[in-house]
Amino acid sequence: MPTPDTTREEERPPEVLYEMLGHVALITLNRPHRRNAITTPMLRLLSSRLDQAAVDPEVRVVVLTGAGDGFCAGLDLKSLDKENRSGGDASKSMQKAVSGIGRAELPPVVLHELAKPTIAAVRGAAAGYGFDLALGCDVRVVGRSSRLMGNFVTRGVVPESGGTWLLPRLVGQARAAELVFRGATVTGDEAVALGLANQVVPDDEVVPAALALAEEIAANAPLAVQAAKRLLQAADQDGFEAHVHRVLDVTRELFGTADFREGIASFAERRPPVFTGR
């Protein structure tokens, strides 16, 4: 069980940490005493950090993780009660929290729309809202003891932050229906088998593995990587012929970049490329 928090508010570290590691932005949910359960200020701070990464030309990949032994335990209803002074009515608190946040401030929306690749490094539980946060990333690296908990219906709600859109695209309609209807908990190994996660590693290797993958991605031409992300997202709505034309248009644009010329030159000269994002 989470331990009581007796730290004075002015002494607490930021609830969302932001660190640059080369061309990788590492964003960490930082309420380990509450398993990184989300408060209303955290929603806004996380969205602002994602926006910061979006506009920083030095950022090529974003890694999202949680401090301590949990990724995110969902919305912190106890904290929301206190914030909204609703007299302990958790349902009213959740309603106020969700309705008080604009669409552009919802982290799963920001994650999905972020032009740069995103990786969720999941240790421990990703429950409820935390489950949707993990799904909102492009790639998921999970620990062997991780638990992905889409337990919304067991609380009388539905995946409120994109889960019903994202989940069928990851695992298929029938499997998504089963997971949602059951409010199922998925282990790290099961997540990889289902297609919910890309890698499962020992718990203490989750963040290093996610950062290693991020660095590998960041070494590639950032404009091409971002274009590839846009194309992968558009493919779900495009017909085949329309998508081929879209790809050709993007390819013509990339032909005019310095990174394309560097890619060709480095190949001809048999050396690693040095991309600048131009």
Side-chain angles (χ1 to χ4, degrees), residues 108-122:
V109 174
V110 180
L111 276 170
H112 180 68
E113 295 181 350
L114 198 70
K116 300 167 184 181
T118 55
I119 301 172
V122 180

Side-chain angles (χ1 to χ4, degrees), residues 42-267:
M42 278 180 77
L43 287 174
R44 293 194 169 97
L45 183 55
L46 175 56
S47 291
S48 71
R49 292 306 192 193
L50 291 169
D51 287 338
Q52 178 181 345
V55 300
D56 185 348
E58 291 301 309
V59 175
R60 298 184 182 180
V61 185
V62 175
V63 173
L64 176 64
T65 193
D69 57 4
F71 178 74
C72 176
L75 294 174
D76 190 334
L77 297 183
K78 182 177 180 180
S79 174
L80 296 177
D81 278 332
K82 182 178 178 181
E83 291 165 17
N84 294 311
R85 299 178 182 178
S86 64
D89 188 333
S91 63
K92 290 182 180 178
S93 296
M94 179 178 280
Q95 291 174 39
K96 290 181 181 179
V98 173
S99 63
I101 298 291
R103 176 183 176 277
E105 295 175 309
L106 284 171
V109 174
V110 180
L111 276 170
H112 180 68
E113 295 181 350
L114 198 70
K116 300 167 184 181
T118 55
I119 301 172
V122 180
R123 291 179 297 200
Y129 197 91
F131 180 75
D132 277 359
L133 277 179
L135 293 187
C137 293
D138 299 308
V139 175
R140 281 153 295 284
V141 177
V142 300
R144 207 162 297 281
S145 67
S146 294
R147 302 179 310 284
L148 279 69
M149 305 167 68
N151 54 350
F152 299 91
V153 297
T154 68
R155 302 293 186 266
V157 292
V158 295
E160 77 279 359
S161 301
T164 49
W165 191 91
L166 293 162
L167 197 56
R169 287 162 170 78
L170 291 170
V171 301
Q173 187 72 28
R175 186 70 72 184
E178 178 190 346
L179 293 173
V180 171
F181 297 165
R182 289 174 52 218
T185 294
V186 177
T187 67
D189 287 311
E190 289 171 340
V192 171
L194 287 168
L196 274 178
N198 300 73
Q199 297 180 37
V200 59
V201 298
D203 293 346
D204 60 355
E205 296 178 17
V206 168
V207 174
L211 290 174
L213 177 58
E215 289 167 2
E216 182 179 353
I217 295 169
N220 293 322
L223 295 178
V225 171
Q226 291 171 33
K229 176 173 179 175
R230 293 195 304 273
L231 290 169
L232 287 168
Q233 290 179 327
D236 198 52
Q237 285 81 39
D238 288 348
F240 177 75
E241 186 175 349
H243 191 71
V244 168
H245 286 296
R246 186 192 297 270
V247 172
L248 288 174
D249 289 341
V250 170
T251 302
R252 292 188 189 100
E253 292 175 5
L254 292 173
F255 282 164
T257 66
D259 278 353
F260 172 74
R261 292 190 293 273
E262 168 63 10
I264 297 301
S266 63
F267 176 78

Side-chain angles (χ1 to χ4, degrees), residues 20-32:
M20 281 294 296
L21 301 171
H23 288 294
V24 178
L26 175 62
I27 300 177
T28 305
L29 304 176
N30 190 40
R31 294 185 77 223

